[in-house]
Amino acid sequence: MGPEDVVELRVHGVSGTPPEAMLGDPFPTPVAGDDVARFLRAGKPVRALSNGRPRTVEAFHWGRFTSGGASRALWLVLIPFAILNLARYALLGASRFAEAVLRLLGLVLTGMLVAATAYASLELLVRQCAGTATCRAERLGFFDGWPFGAMLLVGLVPPGLVITVLWWFGRQTFLYEPKGTHHVWETRTGSLGDYAFWHTSPRTPVLRDAHVAAACAVVGVLYAGALRTEQPDRPADALSWAVVGLGAVVLGWAVGCVVMSPDRREVNSRALKWASVVYLLLAAGAATASLWRVPVEASGSVTPLAGFEAVTNTLSASAMLLLVVLLGACVRLRRSARGVELMVADKRFRPLWHGYATVVIAAVATTLAVGFSGGLAYRVVDWVGDPVPDAGRPGLVLSTSYLVGAGLWGVLAIAFPLLVAPVVAAMVRQVSSALVFAAGSVAAAAAVALRWTSASGWAFWAAVVLAGLLYAIGTVSCMRHAIGVAVREGVVADYPGRPDRPGVGKVALTQRLASAKYRYHWLLGAVALLGGVLVAAGGGLALARLAHPGWRDAPPPGLADWLSTVPARELGALGSLVVSGVVLVLLLLGVRTWQNARMRTVVGIVWDLVAFWPRLAHPICPPPYGGRATIELTSRAVRLAGHHGVGAVVLSGHSQGSVVCVAALSLLRRESERPDPADGERYIRQADAVAALRRVGLVTYGSQLQWAYSRLFPHYLGHAELARLHDDLGDRWWNVHRLTDPLGGPVQVWPETAEERLSADPKLWGVRCGNDVRLRDPEFLDPDPDVVASPLRGHSDYYDDPVFDEVVARVADAVARPRTTVVIGDLSLSGGS
């Protein structure tokens, strides 16, 4: 290759597009990489229609990072932890306090999972079911003749397996270790241009050991509480309090590592981990030996083990309080200089949820964790008997926090579907239709409430009919809304001709649905709001339960009676069923990945979205692939530009691939500014980085950089960062999008810029607005009889549009000629509007 050559380096998105499809070549040639990060080259060059200049096309296929083994799909069951880790990167800036609160909340969520498992095995199965002759004969007959201490030891197996899985899943800092040497982070928060941010994650091992230690401490304290259960020949309280005290020391040590020292390598977290394992074995051994001869021949209900109610309520209350504290920390961060700077950016780049994205995402994660924990306990009770709120009634006594949590999830299961229609209508800018749908949802909610009252049957059916009528009116209103008429007129302007010809309506509807991408966060915000109310209600009730003088013996006055009512039981059963269904679907996805390659791709998409960033808030989430992908792409660009002498290297990123490309360019730009160290320990030399920057261009398409990533992660991909990159690249960075794309959109466009056509030939053209190009989709609406009809492509197959080739050719020409500065509207380095 020589200075006259052009190489387009294509990077796929989360769908893991096969290299054969990316290159349009069934037999591409591998040119670099390994079996998980491959670079392949098409056999024939591509030529733009306008100038005929050839270019070599390579594909960077990183899909094997995420959509390969079935074991990785099982991470989906732990999705609350991954979502919480994502919340850390939505902070508006550096905040030690907010990060510490997030890490502590992650520790509480881990404790919830382990406590729920221990509750199901020790309290529900061993104590209450195996401890009564009837339930043991029906469900756990293999325990006949066993001493209670031996059953307690068997009950350690499920929580022990969970702790082992947490330790094993958290072992890998990265899925595939990035190449190069370790460095110290340039800043405490890291950045896309910081090589150490992508290469090294010193916090993860410390966090992992702390979470394992906290899990062991929680289970050990539960065993200590069992020693205080009312029973004949109960051991002295001193033994129980001694075990609890040791557990408090271990837990305090773990909390200290999480809150105070997560990024210090000198923290001896390995000692903490093994000390916690020894503590758990000692606690379980003491309880087993002391309770070995507890009678297990009871014919009725048995007294629940002490400690479980206190631990579950403490965790629920802690989760609620930490969310409140996190909200306060985000308020403070929003009022800081960095927060004000980000909030005054152009509205297209302004942080989501008014700067409180971290709270929203953390609320979703906590809601899921609370639901998963409560759903597990409720399902176990439903399997072996009926849940009751206190002793003395037939059935199994279920902790108040789990009973209430299941009921609140039942409320969520009813409320969320009722919110979908009005929120979606608002997302497509149809306010009047949204109001009609909202009225229908109110009527439907009234019908649900009337079902549990003594009101006459006609009132219930009247509410049902009214709800159905309002929903029908809302549907008709959506179809005839003025927004739809305006979109249709825009489609006719793109495809001149009769406005009623076939295809116009379909294109207009697709564009209307795709426009909802700018308001996707409304739906997630509704989930977070409902979930936040759920967590707050459960946490508040847990606090009341803890503060009640007789919390060990009875719930607060009146609560047990309400929990025994028909509405409470039905809501609890519904909530448990919904949570169980979600978990079952996630497990089935994991199982299906063994059998179905397409299902592996679906799971890989979810993985891609949560596993791009390093694990800094919670260590038990998918190992990040972003470091390996970014460093590999950067290295290949340097290799092509420096060692192969290619005149122009165009990084071509689709969807999530556009983020990888931007990260690679940020890393390349920072490496060009950093002098070579005296010891020579460096993966990319400064001279190579400088040479590569002069020969690199960027084309993004189907990208979420503007409407999603810059707003969700403003500190890393905000307006100022993208503006700085645009200032460096100028005409060497173009973006391509379609109005029918439900995920991709403009990246650099501002309202002040003028529109012009960019033509590949007289019939194939797109609309240029600054350095953004909007492709027509389909390419044409009325094909000639001898031409294959153009399909609606939406988010896919950008490579197949001839105008896309024209854009890549323009970028390659801009790289080859002397640098020119392009000012788009009022875009500035400061990121102001």
Side-chain angles (χ1 to χ4, degrees), residues 96-97 99-101 103-104 107 188 203 206-207 210 252-267:
R96 290 185 180 273
F97 182 72
E99 291 183 29
V101 172
R103 293 193 297 269
L104 192 55
L107 199 69
R188 191 176 53 80
R203 308 179 185 191
V206 176
L207 289 176
W253 190 357
V255 169
C257 287
V258 167
V259 175
M260 301 300 295
S261 307
D263 52 353
R264 298 178 184 173
R265 292 181 178 274
E266 63 270 18
V267 173

Side-chain angles (χ1 to χ4, degrees), residues 477-548:
S477 174
C478 279
M479 298 174 63
R480 299 179 179 273
H481 200 275
I483 294 294
V485 174
V487 171
R488 192 181 184 96
E489 291 175 352
V491 173
V492 174
D494 272 351
Y495 306 97
R498 291 174 48 207
D500 59 343
R501 65 192 189 277
V504 171
K506 180 179 180 181
V507 174
L509 177 61
T510 305
Q511 290 186 6
R512 288 174 66 189
L513 295 177
S515 68
K517 61 177 169 279
Y518 300 108
R519 289 163 289 277
Y520 283 163
H521 60 286
W522 291 6
L523 196 58
L524 185 60
V527 175
L529 179 62
L530 290 173
V533 172
L534 183 155
V535 173
L541 192 57
L543 279 177
R545 184 85 165 98
L546 290 170
H548 191 263

Side-chain angles (χ1 to χ4, degrees), residues 331-416:
V331 170
R332 181 180 179 183
L333 192 58
R334 190 178 183 277
R335 295 178 179 177
S336 66
R338 178 60 172 165
V340 172
E341 176 188 355
L342 292 172
M343 292 305 299
V344 299
D346 185 280
K347 65 180 181 180
R348 297 170 182 259
F349 294 88
R350 199 164 294 158
L352 291 176
W353 298 293
H354 302 284
Y356 297 107
T358 296
V359 180
V360 172
I361 298 173
V364 172
T366 306
T367 301
L368 290 174
V370 170
F372 286 8
S373 301
L376 172 64
Y378 204 99
R379 282 296 96 197
V380 171
V381 170
D382 193 55
W383 174 55
V384 297
D386 296 321
V388 295
D390 57 358
R393 304 186 185 190
L396 272 67
V397 179
L398 187 60
S399 171
T400 307
S401 62
Y402 291 145
L403 275 173
V404 173
L408 291 174
W409 258 85
V411 175
L412 179 63
I414 295 173
F416 179 71

Side-chain angles (χ1 to χ4, degrees), residues 722-734 748-750 753-754 756 768-772 810-811 814-815 817-829:
L722 295 181
R724 192 175 297 115
L725 180 61
H726 178 270
D727 183 74
D728 287 347
L729 296 177
D731 264 354
R732 296 185 292 161
W733 178 14
W734 285 36
Q748 307 173 80
V749 67
W750 266 259
T753 55
E756 60 175 303
R768 178 180 177 184
C769 187
N771 275 23
D772 272 274
R810 295 279 186 101
V811 171
V815 174
R817 66 175 180 262
R819 170 74 190 279
T820 58
T821 302
V822 177
V823 178
I824 302 180
D826 54 357
L827 178 63
S828 64
L829 280 173

Side-chain angles (χ1 to χ4, degrees), residues 740-800:
T740 55
D741 190 341
L743 296 176
V747 172
Q748 307 173 80
V749 67
W750 266 259
E752 293 80 5
T753 55
E755 292 188 352
E756 60 175 303
R757 281 195 179 187
L758 180 70
S759 300
D761 79 0
K763 293 185 178 181
L764 301 173
W765 51 269
V767 177
R768 178 180 177 184
C769 187
N771 275 23
D772 272 274
V773 176
R774 175 177 64 83
L775 302 180
R776 291 192 306 173
D777 186 31
E779 298 164 21
F780 43 80
L781 205 58
D782 303 304
D784 295 331
D786 297 326
V787 176
V788 177
S790 175
L792 268 171
R793 295 193 173 103
H795 190 58
S796 305
D797 301 327
Y798 276 87
Y799 317 116
D800 295 336

